[in-house]
Amino acid sequence: MSLLDMIGPVMIGPSSSHTAGACRIGLVARALLGHPPEHARIGLHASFAKTGRGHGTHLAIVAGLLGFSPADPRLPRAFEEAQGAGVNYEFTDVDLGDVHPNSARLDLSGGGNETSVIASSTGGGVIHVVRVDGFKTDFSGASPTLLLRYQDAVGMIARVTALIAEDDVNIATLVCTREKRGGQALLSIELDARLSDHAVRQLATLPEISWHRMLPKVMD
């Protein structure tokens, strides 16, 4: 364990879980939307709902939606920055069921796109994304992550992983969820490096794929 691991993330305080992690949840949701958010409905679960305001959770999530990192000095002014950027947001308390108490659901729209994300902040600034647009998943944002939504078909995962290998990029984790055999599926793949633009364009040409995102890492 390094000294940085022991002292926690570089961040605007006060809390690594309620502030830094919350900001990273906002950053991942922004990247999944694929466009700067224009409207955001933010549901806070359990501990986030009960103690979040005193720990800066509300500010931090909005800061992440604006593209600010946990260490950005603008984080404490996130509400004012959002107003200046024309970002409309509202907070509600929600019960997300059997998830970590530091969890949030973000329903975003902007640029003609929409997305719904449920993610948890599990401590030390670490997050886990557990649902995207209703599909179960599990990735942390600690490495570049490829997400694909597609029509389930025989050999799809093999075709995708072959294109990744051709780009000389290694796979760290892979999670696939589908509605049913032959139905819609979501594939999330954490990678050792970001795919090249050429590889992403190749993946987008596969006829079964209806949506894709190449997410940057949000962990330091």
Side-chain angles (χ1 to χ4, degrees):
M1 179 180 287
S2 70
L3 178 61
L4 184 59
D5 291 328
M6 289 187 286
I7 63 175
V10 177
M11 54 172 272
I12 303 294
S15 169
S16 60
S17 60
H18 283 64
T19 316
C23 183
R24 287 171 175 153
I25 289 173
L27 282 167
V28 168
R30 175 187 171 98
L32 284 164
L33 182 63
H35 189 278
E38 296 165 4
H39 303 279
R41 181 176 174 84
I42 304 160
L44 300 180
H45 170 76
S47 179
F48 264 9
K50 292 176 182 176
T51 67
R53 195 167 295 279
H55 287 94
T57 301
H58 300 67
L59 283 166
I61 290 178
V62 172
L65 293 177
L66 293 170
F68 302 166
S69 76
D72 195 305
R74 294 172 293 178
L75 190 152
R77 305 191 307 273
F79 293 164
E80 291 85 350
E81 296 282 348
Q83 184 176 16
V87 179
N88 299 308
Y89 58 89
E90 62 175 309
F91 287 94
T92 61
D93 294 348
V94 295
D95 182 353
L96 297 175
D98 187 20
V99 296
H100 193 282
N102 299 335
S103 295
R105 173 173 174 156
L106 281 64
D107 297 309
L108 309 180
S109 62
N113 299 337
E114 295 182 348
T115 195
S116 178
V117 183
I118 297 177
S120 305
S121 177
T122 57
V126 176
I127 68 169
H128 286 278
V129 179
V130 297
R131 282 191 179 269
V132 173
D133 295 338
F135 289 91
K136 289 184 179 179
T137 189
D138 185 11
F139 64 91
S140 69
S143 60
T145 303
L146 174 69
L147 279 94
L148 303 168
R149 190 161 61 237
Y150 61 93
Q151 193 74 26
D152 180 49
V154 173
M156 271 299 297
I157 293 176
R159 291 158 67 190
V160 170
T161 55
L163 284 170
I164 292 172
E166 288 175 11
D167 205 40
D168 201 26
V169 174
N170 199 32
I171 292 172
T173 70
L174 184 153
V175 177
C176 181
T177 306
R178 64 182 184 179
E179 297 172 335
K180 60 181 180 179
R181 184 175 182 179
Q184 285 291 303
L186 180 76
L187 180 63
S188 66
I189 307 176
E190 293 181 292
L191 303 166
D192 286 350
R194 185 182 179 90
L195 290 181
S196 67
D197 291 343
H198 174 70
V200 173
R201 286 194 297 269
Q202 282 187 296
L203 286 166
T205 64
L206 295 177
E208 294 87 354
I209 293 176
S210 58
W211 175 93
H212 69 281
R213 292 286 184 269
M214 182 69 249
L215 308 183
K217 65 178 184 178
V218 297
M219 298 285 289
D220 299 326

